[in-house]
Amino acid sequence: MELNGYHCDGEACPETEDEDTTVSKQCWVDAPCSNIESANMENTTTSGTVHRERRVSNSTSSRQRIDSLKKNRPPFPWFGMDIGGTLVKLVYFEPKDITAEEEQEEVESLKSIRHYLTSHTAYGKTGIRDVHLELPDLMLWGRKGSLHFIRFPTQELPAFLQMGREKHFSSLHTTLCATGGGAYKFEADFRTMADLQLLKLDELDCLIKGVLYIDSVVSSGPSECYYYENPTDTEHCQQKAYNLENPYPLLLVNIGSGVSILAVYSKDDYKRVTGTSLGGGTFLGLCCLLTGCSTFEEALEMAARGESARVDKLVRDIYGGDYERFGLPGWAVASSFGNMMCKEKRDSVSKEDLARSTLITITNNIGSITRMCALNENIERVVFVGNFLRVNTLSMKLLAYALDYWSKGQLKALFLRHEGYFCAVGALLELLNSS
Amino acid sequence: MATYVEAVRGSHSMDKSITLPPDEIFRNLENAKRFAIDIGGSLTKLAYYSTVQHKVAKVRSFDHAAKQESDGEPLYEISVQEEITARLHFIKFENTYIETCLDFIKDHLVNTETKVIKATGGGAYKFKDLIEKKLKLKVDKEDEMSCLIKGCNFVLKNIPHEVFVYAKHGDSEFRFQNTHPDIFPYLLVNIGSGVSIVKVEAEDRFERIGGSSIGGGTFWGLGALLTKTKRFDELLQLASRGQHTSVDMLVKDIYGGAYGCLGLTGDLIASSFGKSATAEKEFSKEDMAKSLLHMISNDIGQLACLYARLHNLSRVYFGGFFIRGHPVTMHTITYSINYFTKGEVQALFLRHEGYLGAIGAFLKGAEEDNPNQYCWGENYAGSSGLLSVSPELNPMQRERSGTFDMLEMDRLERQLVNLPLLQDSSSYIPDTVDLTEDTLAREYWLCCFEEALDGVVKRAIASQKDQPEAAERAEKFRQKYRDKLQTLRHQPFAYGSLTVRSLLDTREHCLNEFNFPDPYSKIKQKENDLALKSYQRVLKTLEELSWEQRQIALVRGLLAGNVFDWGAKAVSDVLESDPEFGFEKAKQQLQERPWLVDTYNQWIERLKGPPHKCALFFVDNSGMDIILGVFPFVRELLSRGTEVVLASNSGPALNDVTNGELQILTERIAAMDPAIQASLSEDRLTLVQSGSSSPCLDLSRLDKVLATVVRERGTDLVVIEGMGRAIHTNYYAALSCESLKLAVIKNSWLADRLGGKIFSVVFKYEVPSIIQGHH
């Protein structure tokens, strides 16, 4: 029914009980077309696309809905948080339609948080706002604003809590929706250090909600979902927009520190098929040990310059060419780090080579497990998300290639621009239920 | 993928200084032909075919007409003849010894017909020139994977207890699996430097369905980089001492506890090496090695499970250098498979996994000898057995590690198949007690066999009084068997599950090895003579009894005959000190009814009913047992109109009557007894050989002819007699027809275990429940 299959009913919607749900379901699905939504609110008219117009045809209903939203929507600030093993992902909705009256009423601490987050792109030494991912002019629960995407290492969480304390976050009486393991692990710290009560949410529920939501609201600018065309042809391999309109069934592979693989049959029918401990954390952990690097970016940069064939033993190293008996091409990796069994070769490889090989090993393995899951679950579409893919074109292209090559074109690897933020977005969407 | 490992190149400096005990290792080179070699990263496996000359005891009937009346003469002649049997030799040694070994082979190779050596394994390329130069044989390269599969099929078919599951914390580390009559389909996961996953559907039909580049080479290569430790086994040792939790990010590190709603426990690894990215500290080599081991084992286990599920296969065998003889990796792989399949699939390992390539390459070269047409049996005397892989190596093992490991297989003269009357051949386990798991029983029987060794040696020498070097050979036998017992004390799992049967069989193999083919031949001859003299008298006594009295007397006769058993120490002591110990005395020794197991009343009720169509009788001892016990009993069955098939051993074992002997005895009895004579000529009494040379009985490995006869005659009763066949084995065997298992417990320990005293009687008449309904 809805755009991109994102169903907006039940808990995520504001007025399911007393309002025309058909309309209410459309409330923020259409949010990105800021002009038309604001038009509705301010009762002015601007033209929109055909389907948008269709959806806002019932203006009386819209009016009611907005009134109801006003009553039910949570007080600012609106945050969603995903506390993972390595990174904390924070999404923040910055209202841009603040009236002068609101501005006056806005308490100092709220203002201070808003200004702090929106006027910086980096926080402390390690916090970063991914400006390129920002979703401006977004309508959320009847408010227009920007969705900001912020991340910092989980290690820095105490500093974050300290800041929350200093900025009197707790005085805002807001609910902090949090997911990821850290929501459980650090729940007590939030309470004791910052006097904050967490609303803990299941991360896989949030993940799916977040993916479906973001994909549905992004309509301008680069497409949220994309794939690589001609993945087996390095010369002609290029990014192409993909319409995730009817996504089910779908294999959703979330590559964070570890990997979770979900089979999604509808918005609320999914199962965790399996997972692997060889994920982004493994890549970074091994790179740190092998090369002495300390950040993901550093590790990726090294990997980009390295040559993995010096580290890995390829099929051709063993068989002199293809192993035809089993249809194995000579370039295929026979043994990851296989050359490193030999001392002379250990002495001759560079850190860059090691980083490259680590990246390829982890990526290929995820591809391989994913492919087997897709076969076992009989699913042809695979969406890869998670922060391991951030600025990691190498891995994405490799995944696209591996899935295409080994499945003989049967499987398609899809990627989403907001890679690692979906759980946090899903958590934010739960905020409405908390009030 | 391949077992090819370049990394050990550094250690390839040839060690020529070692002196081989060559006649112990490269045996029968004089007759050797058809060589095959599998050179892996660190180990070389050599295979060849030889013929072995064995002394065998043959019995031959005298011309009775002339001799019948002369009293002191024995009834048949025993001669020792040379017999030639085929044997397969497999030897495993470190690559460092390769040149020395090739030199030795060259010096001893007599057979000039051999022109080619089949070679496989990554190292075959590297050593090609050396082999061709040294042996003057052309190296013929065979595909590694094909060899591996061929070898795997061969051991799965021919070696009982080849397959085991590994249980680190179990009562016994190794749990051996029954030989499955149908070995296909299965999945072979070969973990060399990479991983190959192969689906095998038939002898010559297999497919590499997948693989992974994360394998043994990754553990070794990455491990060497991380820990600066060069050797593979050192890395494993490091890993076995490490704690992965300091390096890996666990679910509880992220969640503070379990992720309950997904059923992920807190101790589950969420991200391998996940802590090494953030923690500002040095990690110990041990911890990193452990984390790496878990990472790789889990990954391989997961992929194996995904492939097994996709192809709907439940038997998954693991091999390759990553697994071979390493309890650490067997444990982690087992754990991983168990986790990912929730216990639905078991990780299976093979005792001779290291030999698969060599066996396969050999088979490819030996196709004209049709080795796959025959059944082969593991020779316990010539095989090293599975090494103990426990961290605390036993002294014997330390001596052996890094040297030579051997496997010898004898070609069995008969095709062996299942008894068609087994209720469920796939779940049939011949042995009653698994000594691998039952520690008390193991200690008792190992002691028992050690104590009996003197007697066996004496008996062996006495059987060859005319040969002066017999004493020396007997000493060698003693040494060999004692070593085997010693090995089994430390490694009960060396040849599969340890059982009384395997202890007895090992002793027979060792005796044969030193040319004592039948130490009891003369005793058997004498006892048969004595018993024959009483045959008619016993018959006469029985005929005077009423039907009811006669039935119990026949059973008591059968049991009394069973008291004469040189295999039981308690009895051999009596027989040694009191040679006149007679049939009547034996009867007096028997327990009075009710017996320890006593279903005699049911049996007698059954006898009042219609006769059986055909009875299959597995006989036991020579002398009183067969002549005064079995024959009168069989005679009664025949008189009821039941056909009888007497199954006796193909080869000698203790004082058990062999098929050859039984033929002569039957002839002699027939001459005295018209009833037997008539049954023989009417083909209502048939003699068949069992295909076995053991005092015990494995109903899943019986002569094909026997199986055919059993089927053709519509056999509806199986009688199994004696402690070896009815107690140590088959006590719990479930048959699809009526069965009678009877024995006298001639061992006080065993009697005690079963809740009785020495000379207690087991009389177990059983009717399968399906038939019971019809009566």
Side-chain angles (χ1 to χ4, degrees):
Chain A
M1 53 166 206
E2 270 77 15
L3 191 66
N4 293 349
Y6 186 75
H7 305 245
C8 164
D9 55 11
E11 70 269 16
C13 260
E15 62 280 86
T16 42
E17 280 146 60
D18 53 350
E19 293 285 337
D20 174 356
T21 49
T22 321
V23 176
S24 76
K25 278 175 187 171
Q26 293 165 358
C27 60
W28 39 261
V29 172
D30 287 347
C33 49
S34 55
N35 40 3
I36 200 159
E37 286 290 328
S38 54
N40 279 330
M41 275 185 66
E42 282 143 41
N43 214 6
T44 58
T45 330
T46 323
S47 67
T49 59
V50 177
H51 76 270
R52 280 171 195 154
E53 277 178 341
R54 192 187 64 225
R55 289 185 176 211
V56 294
S57 56
N58 189 339
S59 63
T60 326
S61 190
S62 296
R63 169 66 65 191
Q64 286 171 352
R65 176 176 54 78
I66 287 153
D67 291 344
S68 166
L69 262 175
K70 267 186 183 160
K71 271 186 282 167
N72 291 326
R73 73 179 159 220
F76 290 123
W78 294 351
F79 279 114
M81 199 173 196
D82 170 19
I83 310 169
T86 311
L87 287 175
V88 177
K89 281 76 66 176
L90 187 70
V91 293
Y92 168 64
F93 181 84
E94 174 205 1
K96 290 280 184 83
D97 53 2
I98 297 175
T99 57
E101 189 188 349
E102 276 181 316
E103 182 97 43
Q104 275 203 319
E105 281 174 18
E106 194 176 29
V107 293
E108 203 46 49
S109 55
L110 185 56
K111 203 170 288 175
S112 142
I113 286 166
R114 182 154 57 88
H115 284 147
Y116 174 71
L117 290 177
T118 57
S119 61
H120 293 84
T121 57
Y123 314 95
K125 278 181 195 146
T126 49
I128 286 177
R129 180 154 63 87
D130 285 313
V131 183
H132 66 289
L133 293 179
E134 181 180 333
L135 293 176
D137 304 327
L138 181 74
M139 281 308 295
L140 180 59
W141 302 321
R143 296 302 299 255
K144 190 172 104 172
S146 285
L147 196 57
H148 297 278
F149 298 87
I150 298 160
R151 60 185 152 89
F152 59 87
T154 305
Q155 275 180 306
E156 303 298 325
L157 194 68
F160 174 80
L161 292 177
Q162 186 61 33
M163 185 191 76
R165 185 196 183 98
E166 281 158 15
K167 294 196 183 293
H168 304 289
F169 203 96
S170 63
S171 67
L172 296 168
H173 304 291
T174 187
T175 312
L176 194 49
C177 288
T179 186
Y184 297 81
K185 189 181 178 187
F186 301 110
E187 189 187 10
D189 294 339
F190 273 85
R191 204 170 43 239
T192 56
M193 288 174 72
D195 194 22
L196 281 169
Q197 193 65 42
L198 290 185
L199 177 66
K200 302 193 295 293
L201 299 160
D202 179 78
E203 67 174 304
L204 299 182
D205 286 342
C206 288
L207 172 66
I208 290 170
K209 279 204 179 73
V211 167
L212 297 175
Y213 174 74
I214 292 290
D215 185 69
S216 71
V217 297
V218 173
S219 67
S220 57
S223 165
E224 177 65 19
C225 183
Y226 61 95
Y227 68 100
Y228 287 92
E229 199 180 49
N230 306 317
T232 50
D233 178 356
T234 36
E235 299 259 311
H236 301 98
C237 173
Q238 54 178 325
Q239 214 171 305
K240 282 272 163 130
Y242 186 87
N243 184 356
L244 206 59
E245 196 167 348
N246 183 19
Y248 310 112
L250 168 80
L251 207 63
L252 185 56
V253 183
N254 186 26
I255 317 175
S257 314
V259 182
S260 271
I261 301 179
L262 317 180
V264 190
Y265 300 100
S266 73
K267 136 182 147 32
D268 39 25
D269 178 16
Y270 74 87
K271 63 173 182 186
R272 184 180 189 273
V273 180
T274 189
T276 166
S277 70
L278 283 84
T282 315
F283 164 64
L284 184 54
L286 281 175
C287 273
C288 291
L289 293 173
L290 293 172
T291 70
C293 72
S294 56
T295 67
F296 183 66
E297 290 77 3
E298 222 182 311
L300 278 184
E301 216 168 278
M302 283 174 129
R305 296 195 305 268
E307 176 63 67
S308 63
R310 281 203 276 265
V311 181
D312 299 336
K313 194 184 285 292
L314 307 185
V315 168
R316 65 162 178 258
D317 296 332
I318 301 175
Y319 296 100
D322 298 350
Y323 190 7
E324 278 158 21
R325 174 93 173 71
F326 295 120
L328 289 176
W331 51 259
V333 183
S335 173
S336 296
F337 288 87
N339 282 340
M340 299 296 91
M341 292 186 277
C342 168
K343 188 173 184 308
E344 295 90 76
K345 293 194 177 173
R346 277 201 296 279
D347 294 341
S348 71
V349 291
S350 69
K351 289 178 173 184
E352 286 78 8
D353 297 338
L354 292 172
R356 176 80 165 210
S357 177
T358 309
L359 187 71
I360 284 176
T361 302
I362 300 295
T363 306
N364 271 334
N365 190 58
I366 294 169
S368 173
I369 291 173
T370 301
R371 192 172 62 86
M372 291 309 296
C373 289
L375 282 172
N376 271 322
E377 301 299 323
N378 203 16
I379 296 177
E380 287 178 359
R381 229 175 333 222
V382 183
V383 175
F384 291 95
V385 296
N387 267 320
F388 173 66
L389 301 175
R390 195 174 59 77
V391 295
N392 189 358
T393 321
L394 202 59
S395 285
M396 287 192 282
K397 283 190 175 171
L398 192 56
L399 283 170
Y401 180 99
L403 249 56
D404 185 89
Y405 182 88
W406 295 109
S407 76
K408 301 189 173 69
Q410 285 296 297
L411 293 175
K412 197 168 208 73
L414 305 170
F415 305 94
L416 298 175
R417 285 209 312 127
H418 287 84
E419 290 126 3
Y421 285 107
F422 298 108
C423 289
V425 172
L428 167 68
L429 295 177
E430 289 295 317
L431 187 59
L432 198 62
N433 293 333
S434 66
S435 54
Chain B
M1 174 164 306
T3 47
Y4 179 80
V5 175
E6 227 172 331
V8 285
R9 188 180 276 161
S11 63
H12 277 164
S13 57
M14 296 299 169
D15 184 352
K16 292 187 184 174
S17 62
I18 55 141
T19 45
L20 303 172
D23 45 334
E24 286 282 305
I25 295 159
F26 298 102
R27 298 169 6 125
N28 302 312
L29 269 180
E30 317 77 56
N31 304 308
K33 54 173 187 173
R34 304 205 191 291
F35 282 83
I37 196 162
D38 172 14
I39 308 178
S42 52
L43 292 175
T44 298
K45 282 77 68 171
L46 184 78
Y48 58 93
Y49 173 98
S50 80
T51 47
V52 188
Q53 265 201 330
H54 263 308
K55 289 202 188 332
V56 288
K58 290 272 178 190
V59 290
R60 200 167 54 105
S61 187
F62 288 117
D63 181 0
H64 310 140
K67 300 263 179 178
Q68 206 151 24
E69 301 309 315
S70 54
D71 235 21
E73 288 296 323
L75 78 153
Y76 55 81
E77 183 188 30
I78 305 162
S79 65
V80 172
Q81 298 175 1
E82 297 285 344
E83 200 179 70
I84 290 174
T85 56
R87 183 173 285 181
L88 303 183
H89 300 254
F90 302 99
I91 303 113
K92 188 161 68 182
F93 51 87
E94 285 179 29
N95 287 355
T96 26
Y97 300 140
I98 199 162
E99 196 162 356
T100 321
C101 290
L102 291 175
D103 281 335
F104 180 83
I105 293 165
K106 180 189 67 189
D107 293 346
H108 292 77
L109 198 58
V110 184
N111 188 321
T112 48
E113 285 167 43
T114 308
K115 301 267 189 282
V116 173
I117 180 165
K118 289 281 178 188
T120 188
Y125 290 111
K126 208 175 352 175
F127 292 100
K128 183 173 181 282
D129 293 343
L130 184 72
I131 297 168
E132 293 195 331
K133 197 184 85 199
K134 292 270 180 194
L135 295 186
K136 309 269 188 292
L137 296 176
K138 190 179 163 293
V139 170
D140 191 1
K141 183 91 172 71
E142 286 289 340
D143 174 69
E144 200 170 334
M145 195 58 73
S146 319
C147 290
L148 205 62
I149 303 296
K150 226 177 176 47
C152 191
N153 292 339
F154 186 80
V155 296
L156 286 176
K157 270 190 302 197
N158 286 291
I159 306 187
H161 288 176
E162 174 63 28
V163 180
F164 63 88
V165 292
Y166 184 78
K168 187 183 177 186
H169 303 295
D171 291 337
S172 58
E173 268 177 291
F174 305 86
R175 297 222 180 103
F176 295 94
Q177 308 281 297
N178 239 355
T179 326
H180 208 278
D182 190 11
I183 62 169
F184 304 110
Y186 65 86
L187 203 62
L188 179 68
V189 181
N190 193 51
I191 315 176
S193 45
V195 181
S196 275
I197 301 177
V198 185
K199 175 180 165 184
V200 187
E201 284 175 298
E203 184 60 47
D204 287 308
R205 201 164 78 239
F206 66 90
E207 185 193 354
R208 184 187 189 275
I209 55 172
S212 167
S213 68
I214 301 186
T218 316
F219 177 71
W220 193 345
L222 199 44
L225 288 168
L226 290 171
T227 67
K228 313 273 178 271
T229 304
K230 285 177 205 157
R231 284 173 48 95
F232 179 70
D233 3 352
E234 281 175 55
L235 275 167
L236 280 179
Q237 273 167 25
L238 280 180
S240 64
R241 294 196 301 266
Q243 283 292 328
H244 73 104
T245 50
S246 63
V247 186
D248 290 341
M249 189 182 283
L250 308 185
V251 166
K252 68 179 171 205
D253 292 319
I254 302 176
Y255 273 84
Y259 185 1
C261 64
L262 285 182
L264 304 179
T265 63
D267 287 325
L268 197 72
I269 304 169
S271 174
S272 295
F273 287 89
K275 281 181 188 158
S276 58
T278 46
E280 301 282 323
K281 64 167 189 171
E282 289 283 307
F283 294 95
S284 81
K285 289 179 177 184
E286 286 82 358
D287 293 353
M288 287 189 290
K290 177 77 161 201
S291 174
L292 189 61
L293 176 69
H294 275 302
M295 174 179 110
I296 287 165
S297 300
N298 286 337
D299 193 55
I300 295 169
Q302 179 172 27
L303 275 173
C305 291
L306 286 167
Y307 278 102
R309 212 171 92 202
L310 189 64
H311 294 263
N312 201 18
L313 297 169
S314 58
R315 269 173 287 172
V316 185
Y317 302 108
F318 287 86
F321 83 76
F322 184 67
I323 294 289
R324 198 162 302 153
H326 298 300
V328 192
T329 53
M330 284 196 271
H331 174 65
T332 50
I333 286 285
T334 301
Y335 182 89
S336 165
I337 291 289
N338 195 38
Y339 173 79
F340 284 109
T341 68
K342 300 182 177 73
E344 275 170 33
V345 174
Q346 277 186 320
L348 300 171
F349 304 97
L350 303 170
R351 268 201 297 145
H352 298 102
E353 190 278 320
Y355 286 111
L356 300 187
I359 294 174
F362 169 81
L363 291 174
K364 276 180 175 281
E367 260 149 16
E368 61 192 75
D369 287 336
N370 283 321
N372 261 326
Q373 236 175 44
Y374 297 94
C375 283
W376 298 80
E378 181 178 8
N379 186 312
Y380 295 140
S383 303
S384 316
L386 193 64
L387 276 176
S388 167
V389 287
S390 297
E392 47 302 339
L393 304 171
N394 76 60
M396 299 262 302
Q397 155 146 9
R398 197 169 294 134
E399 209 173 281
R400 249 179 61 195
S401 68
T403 57
F404 292 80
D405 190 86
M406 284 166 290
L407 165 66
E408 288 185 5
M409 296 183 75
D410 289 324
R411 193 172 79 196
L412 308 177
E413 296 311 312
R414 324 280 307 180
Q415 282 271 15
L416 302 182
V417 295
N418 276 317
L419 179 68
L421 297 170
L422 283 174
Q423 229 174 56
D424 175 16
S425 57
S426 61
S427 68
Y428 166 74
I429 298 170
D431 306 286
T432 307
V433 180
D434 183 347
L435 302 180
T436 333
E437 291 183 3
D438 189 333
T439 318
L440 278 177
R442 176 168 77 239
E443 276 163 15
Y444 170 76
W445 285 111
L446 285 170
C447 266
C448 188
F449 276 85
E450 179 124 34
E451 280 171 21
L453 194 49
D454 276 342
V456 178
V457 169
K458 232 158 75 189
R459 181 67 43 210
I461 298 169
S463 72
Q464 297 181 358
K465 277 193 198 118
D466 48 335
Q467 295 180 40
E469 28 61 72
E472 197 186 317
R473 271 187 290 122
E475 254 335 290
K476 279 187 181 161
F477 154 75
R478 183 208 298 274
Q479 196 56 44
K480 182 110 190 176
Y481 190 58
R482 185 177 282 158
D483 280 356
K484 291 279 169 194
L485 290 175
Q486 196 62 23
T487 304
L488 288 167
R489 199 159 266 145
H490 293 290
Q491 295 147 240
F493 44 78
Y495 301 96
S497 286
L498 183 66
T499 59
V500 174
R501 176 167 63 107
S502 70
L503 285 168
L504 284 163
D505 290 353
T506 308
R507 191 164 73 186
E508 295 301 324
H509 290 176
C510 291
L511 280 167
N512 269 326
E513 201 54 44
F514 295 99
N515 272 324
F516 293 106
D518 191 0
Y520 288 86
S521 57
K522 294 216 170 76
I523 291 177
K524 288 189 286 185
Q525 186 188 36
K526 199 171 126 201
E527 285 175 354
N528 285 336
D529 263 349
L530 272 171
L532 273 178
K533 290 194 178 101
S534 310
Y535 180 71
Q536 279 165 315
R537 196 170 61 242
V538 169
L539 273 195
K540 194 157 176 293
T541 318
L542 285 165
E543 272 161 9
E544 284 162 2
L545 300 173
S546 71
W547 186 85
E548 295 261 0
Q549 287 173 322
R550 190 165 69 245
Q551 300 314 312
I552 185 77
L554 284 169
V555 168
R556 283 179 59 83
L558 206 49
L559 294 165
N562 203 250
V563 172
F564 292 87
D565 188 346
W566 287 88
K569 198 174 170 297
V571 179
S572 61
D573 289 348
V574 175
L575 292 176
E576 205 84 55
S577 59
D578 182 6
E580 293 302 304
F581 188 80
F583 194 53
E584 288 309 313
K585 260 190 179 169
K587 277 191 193 163
Q588 287 160 24
Q589 296 274 359
L590 290 180
Q591 183 191 17
E592 284 305 315
R593 289 193 65 198
W595 294 319
L596 183 57
V597 176
D598 192 339
T599 49
Y600 178 75
N601 291 346
Q602 284 96 307
W603 169 245
I604 217 68
E605 281 312 304
R606 173 64 188 86
L607 285 187
K608 287 174 188 164
H612 295 94
K613 166 108 188 32
C614 173
L616 169 65
F617 199 126
F618 287 99
V619 300
D620 188 14
N621 305 318
S622 302
M624 305 278 182
D625 189 0
I626 183 74
I627 296 164
L628 305 181
V630 175
F631 264 96
F633 185 89
V634 163
R635 203 174 178 273
E636 182 77 12
L637 286 177
L638 287 166
S639 76
R640 286 167 49 78
T642 303
E643 291 179 14
V644 177
V645 178
L646 286 181
S648 54
N649 269 7
S650 301
L654 294 168
N655 63 327
D656 291 2
V657 64
T658 63
N659 187 250
E661 289 158 353
L662 189 56
Q663 280 179 7
I664 295 166
L665 293 180
T666 310
E667 232 173 88
R668 291 300 305 273
I669 290 169
M672 293 187 274
D673 184 349
I676 297 291
Q677 181 69 60
S679 301
L680 279 174
S681 56
E682 289 160 22
D683 204 23
R684 293 175 50 243
L685 174 62
T686 316
L687 309 184
V688 293
Q689 48 182 310
S690 65
S692 158
S693 304
S694 164
C696 294
L697 180 64
D698 180 353
L699 296 176
S700 65
R701 278 168 82 83
L702 290 176
D703 194 293
K704 205 173 180 178
V705 176
L706 183 150
T708 312
V709 171
V710 160
R711 215 179 279 118
E712 282 171 0
R713 303 247 162 149
T715 305
D716 54 356
L717 172 68
V718 174
V719 185
I720 307 177
E721 185 212 3
M723 206 160 76
R725 291 177 182 78
I727 307 287
H728 290 317
T729 53
N730 299 311
Y731 191 68
Y732 299 116
L735 297 169
S736 58
C737 66
E738 292 171 56
S739 64
L740 185 56
K741 296 166 189 168
L742 39 93
V744 178
I745 313 287
K746 288 150 291 191
N747 172 294
S748 52
W749 185 88
L750 187 63
D752 192 48
R753 261 235 165 164
L754 294 170
K757 290 199 178 79
I758 190 151
F759 297 118
S760 288
V761 169
V762 169
F763 186 95
K764 201 177 183 193
Y765 168 65
E766 289 168 307
V767 182
S769 47
I770 319 146
I771 296 179
Q772 222 152 25
H774 295 296
H775 279 291

